[in-house]
Amino acid sequence: MRDPYEVLGVERTASAAEIKKAFRKLAKKYHPDQNPDPKAKARFAEANAAYEIVGDKENRAKYDRGEIGPDGKPVFQGFGGAGPGFGGFRGFEGFDTGAFRTARGPGGTRTFRWSAGGGPRAGAFSADDILSEILGGAFRTGGPEAAAGPTRGQDATATVAVTLEQLAHREKVRVDLPTGKTVELTIPPGTQAGKTIRLKGQGYPSVSGPPGDALVTVEFVPHPKFRAEGDSLRIDVPITLDEAVLGAKVRVPTLDGPVSVTVPPNSSSGRILRLKGKGLPRADGGMGDMLVTLRIVLPEGGDPELEALAKKWREAKRYTARETTFED
């Protein structure tokens, strides 16, 4: 293991505040919850181990005196004549004989000093306070949570825009995730705009457990002809005055191609015709309907014959389109 001062990028004469600042900077940059790069995990672990040594006053003093090494373990001091048979072997009294160990909990991995007695040293130094600041309190000290099992990675969020044709034909769509992955997603029948789909294990990786999930929000691409309302599609279809009065066969577009639709005689503008099964897939496996709204369109620029006919109708007062209450 490298020299802790070198790992943190500080001089041996650095103050405690300078060491803490250096570790904070590295932890924020390389913590796996902040940086999904696999190499960042090793870099963070190295910085954390270095800070556990020189970030603690007692451990730093022992390291500077050569009593412990960069890995936190006691250092053999050699034979110097201090005792019979060993020629002065320097013992380990005055400091723990264990190495730094880790425990994983819901917030991540905690590092602590393991004492000769088999447990964490009372009042042992920890970097949890800094990590809690950086990660919003994700790390906790003490209690059963610190010794809990592996933790899953963070969830990743993304948005995918799909066309009505892709929905109707159940086509797969490509989703670019913030983790760097690209996945193909089948939109479930009955999906509405704004729905979030969970992709198991496609989120950010974890230091000690399974990866998180990807949460993909579905948005509909605006269509030039159709409007989606639940599993139904709406469309406005223009018709001429004679088609409205006498009835006609007109071509109406659908997501599967144009179809012929019968306009009943005496159809008013705004009348809705229902085309069964021409909408979007439903959650029950069926298909929604298409709702066709008729819009009467008069000839652009006017028509003398039509105007003459309308005058005769007005003079004869053949019918009224409004109730008498509208005339009051």
Side-chain angles (χ1 to χ4, degrees):
M1 181 176 174
R2 291 194 296 158
D3 175 63
Y5 293 105
E6 179 184 347
V7 171
L8 297 176
V10 297
E11 300 291 336
R12 283 183 170 270
T13 56
S15 65
E18 290 172 332
I19 292 176
K20 183 176 182 180
K21 181 179 180 181
F23 172 69
R24 184 195 300 271
K25 181 178 179 181
L26 292 174
K28 190 172 184 180
K29 180 177 181 181
Y30 292 111
H31 194 281
D33 286 349
Q34 308 283 70
N35 189 336
D37 187 344
K39 296 181 180 179
K41 176 183 176 181
R43 189 71 179 86
F44 169 75
E46 184 182 40
N48 189 57
Y51 187 62
E52 291 285 351
I53 295 176
V54 299
D56 176 65
K57 183 178 180 181
E58 180 182 345
N59 291 338
R60 184 182 183 183
K62 291 178 180 179
Y63 177 74
D64 289 344
R65 292 195 300 266
E67 296 176 356
I68 60 175
D71 56 0
K73 295 180 180 180
V75 175
F76 179 73
Q77 299 295 329
F79 301 93
F86 286 94
F89 177 76
R90 182 174 179 179
F92 295 154
E93 60 271 27
F95 56 93
D96 298 333
T97 60
F100 288 91
R101 300 190 182 181
T102 60
R104 296 184 175 93
T109 301
R110 297 183 58 243
T111 302
F112 52 84
R113 185 63 181 272
W114 197 261
S115 71
R121 189 183 62 191
F125 169 76
S126 171
D128 287 354
D129 56 341
I130 293 179
L131 296 177
S132 293
E133 293 176 18
I134 296 173
L135 302 176
F139 277 71
R140 299 179 177 89
T141 57
E145 292 177 330
T151 59
R152 60 188 293 274
Q154 288 184 331
D155 292 338
T157 58
T159 300
V160 62
V162 300
T163 65
L164 298 183
E165 286 82 359
Q166 288 173 317
L167 289 172
H169 302 148
R170 295 176 171 85
E171 298 177 5
K172 290 185 176 181
V173 295
R174 293 173 65 86
V175 184
D176 294 325
L177 301 176
T179 59
K181 296 181 182 178
T182 298
V183 298
E184 286 193 339
L185 172 65
T186 299
I187 307 299
T191 296
Q192 306 295 317
K195 177 181 176 61
T196 298
I197 299 174
R198 181 180 293 273
L199 303 180
K200 287 287 188 181
Q202 297 296 331
Y204 290 104
S206 169
V207 177
S208 60
D213 300 335
L215 306 178
V216 181
T217 301
V218 177
E219 298 294 347
F220 290 175
V221 176
H223 199 281
K225 297 176 181 177
F226 308 112
R227 302 184 304 278
E229 290 185 2
D231 54 31
S232 298
L233 289 178
R234 285 187 175 272
I235 185 174
D236 293 343
V237 174
I239 60 174
T240 62
L241 182 61
D242 60 292
E243 289 172 333
V245 174
L246 303 176
K249 292 278 189 178
V250 299
R251 301 284 281 176
V252 175
T254 72
L255 292 176
D256 296 320
V259 297
S260 180
V261 175
T262 298
V263 177
N266 300 314
S267 291
S268 298
S269 187
R271 182 172 183 173
I272 297 176
L273 307 179
R274 184 182 296 271
L275 303 185
K276 290 285 188 179
K278 294 300 181 180
L280 298 175
R282 297 197 307 252
D284 62 6
M287 294 292 292
D289 301 333
M290 177 175 287
L291 306 178
V292 179
T293 302
L294 302 178
R295 302 295 183 190
I296 297 175
V297 178
L298 297 178
E300 188 173 349
D303 183 288
E305 293 184 8
L306 180 59
E307 291 174 5
L309 178 61
K311 287 179 181 179
K312 291 178 63 176
W313 272 72
R314 177 179 290 180
E315 292 170 358
K317 294 185 177 179
R318 296 297 180 93
Y319 79 106
T320 178
R322 297 173 296 279
E323 298 178 7
T324 55
T325 53
F326 283 88
E327 304 294 337
D328 295 339

